[in-house]
Amino acid sequence: MLDDDVPAWWRGLGLDGLIDVHVHFLPDQVMNAVWAYFDQASTHYGTAWPITYRTSVEERLKTLALLGVRAFPALVYPHKPEMAAWLNTWARDFADRTPGCVPSGTFYPEPTASAYVREALDLGTRIFKVHLQVGDYDPRDEVLDDVWGQLAEAGTPVVAHCGSGPIPGRHTGPGPIGEVLRRHPRLTVVVAHLGMPEYAEHLELTSYPNVHLDTTMALTPFTEAMMPFPRDLVPRLADLADRIVLGSDFPNIPYSYATQLQVLADLELGDGWLRAVCHDNGARLLGV
Ligand SMILES: [Zn+2]
């Protein structure tokens, strides 16, 4: 499948477009820093990572529109203190001026987190993102306990990059986020990247009623070469049709957007599964 074929593909499923819960737009200076990091990917990840959609904001929005991505967040995340509140304001403003973009937020373990997350929720933020490897913090930090509680009570999803891929952090893996879920069992955690490379352990977290997993980068040839998804877990994906949700990591992917959709179709789990994953589950999570 090529990107040009994507609209015909979702139309063939009877959909009116795609919902993608894992898209990044960042303030220019932050995105440029992220891209500079990917330029050194061979050092960081042991593999080159040429970004396919390294274009202007306008061009990237046009690409999403042509693909038929109807709703998406601009997932922001901090790598240091005193950055999250500013990112949250930026993400709300960006969503305000961008059709299809829903307001997103983030947080960091710092004394102000509780207040700025409350403010973000009050101002209509519909999804949060945490990146435990980039942020390099423990999600069990007691300063975050009230934040998790607020999100659980509001039913607002939080996309968590908690898996140890492509590189592990001090607080990645199913243990720390699993402990957060033990304390806040109603929390809507969306485990990013199907939890790679701890796929089985993160899939087990769906014993909590609101845990989802996004597909971001999982199953693509690029990822399979480094962290293959165990084929004996494919029936688990079938059983979890209401918990698996389309994510892409657009624009920071070293292959075409269509590649992610093709690998989902190649699982051969049926059109109903694809409709749930590529549209309905994301629509429910983002409230669109
Ligand atoms: Zn991402």
Side-chain angles (χ1 to χ4, degrees):
M1 196 186 324
L2 302 173
D3 280 3
D4 286 347
D5 305 324
V6 167
W9 181 76
W10 50 252
R11 258 184 231 113
L13 292 170
L15 294 174
D16 59 4
L18 304 167
I19 312 279
D20 186 337
V21 302
H22 198 136
V23 167
H24 295 289
F25 283 88
L26 301 167
D28 283 344
Q29 66 271 39
V30 182
M31 188 61 104
N32 287 333
V34 168
W35 284 346
Y37 185 84
F38 281 111
D39 283 340
Q40 307 299 321
S42 303
T43 318
H44 303 306
Y45 301 133
T47 181
W49 197 305
I51 290 167
T52 306
Y53 302 97
R54 192 168 177 161
T55 59
S56 67
V57 171
E58 293 68 30
E59 195 65 29
R60 277 178 266 147
L61 290 170
K62 205 172 127 194
T63 302
L64 288 176
L66 288 170
L67 289 162
V69 177
R70 300 286 179 239
F72 59 91
L75 295 181
V76 291
Y77 52 94
H79 63 278
K80 59 182 186 190
E82 294 178 23
M83 186 180 182
W86 168 70
L87 287 171
N88 290 350
T89 303
W90 182 89
R92 286 196 299 272
D93 290 347
F94 184 80
D96 265 353
R97 62 176 188 266
T98 308
C101 185
V102 307
S104 62
T106 191
F107 49 88
Y108 191 86
E110 52 197 341
T112 49
S114 191
Y116 64 66
V117 167
R118 169 58 58 207
E119 180 188 36
L121 287 169
D122 289 346
L123 292 172
T125 300
R126 282 193 259 160
I127 190 166
F128 284 76
K129 163 86 186 257
V130 296
H131 197 309
L132 298 181
Q133 186 265 319
V134 168
D136 194 31
Y137 61 81
D138 192 329
R140 299 165 294 190
D141 191 317
E142 64 181 31
V143 78
L144 290 179
D145 201 50
D146 179 67
V147 168
W148 297 119
Q150 287 185 48
L151 297 177
E153 196 174 318
T156 304
V158 52
V159 176
H161 184 131
C162 49
S164 302
I167 44 177
R170 294 188 297 151
H171 310 290
T172 57
I177 197 72
E179 180 64 29
V180 169
L181 281 161
R182 263 192 294 284
R183 290 187 211 164
H184 303 279
R186 310 283 313 169
L187 192 64
T188 305
V189 169
V190 181
V191 174
H193 309 287
L194 286 185
M196 70 175 68
E198 300 106 333
Y199 298 105
E201 295 87 339
H202 284 106
L203 281 165
E204 274 175 30
L205 294 177
T206 56
S207 59
Y208 292 98
N210 299 318
V211 169
H212 294 66
L213 296 96
D214 80 31
T215 64
T216 305
M217 297 191 76
L219 305 160
T220 61
F222 178 82
T223 298
E224 286 290 284
M226 290 186 284
M227 295 169 284
F229 183 81
R231 289 289 123 180
D232 60 351
L233 290 178
V234 172
R236 290 285 288 139
L237 298 182
D239 294 343
L240 292 166
D242 58 343
R243 307 286 197 95
I244 309 296
V245 57
L246 175 66
S248 66
D249 244 347
F250 178 90
N252 299 331
I253 42 179
Y255 46 75
S256 73
Y257 192 96
T259 304
Q260 183 73 64
L261 302 173
Q262 182 70 61
V263 298
L264 296 177
D266 287 346
L267 291 171
E268 297 184 336
L269 297 179
D271 288 359
W273 189 87
L274 288 170
R275 278 191 288 273
V277 171
C278 297
H279 184 279
D280 300 352
N281 298 339
R284 190 178 65 242
L285 287 169
L286 296 179
V288 294

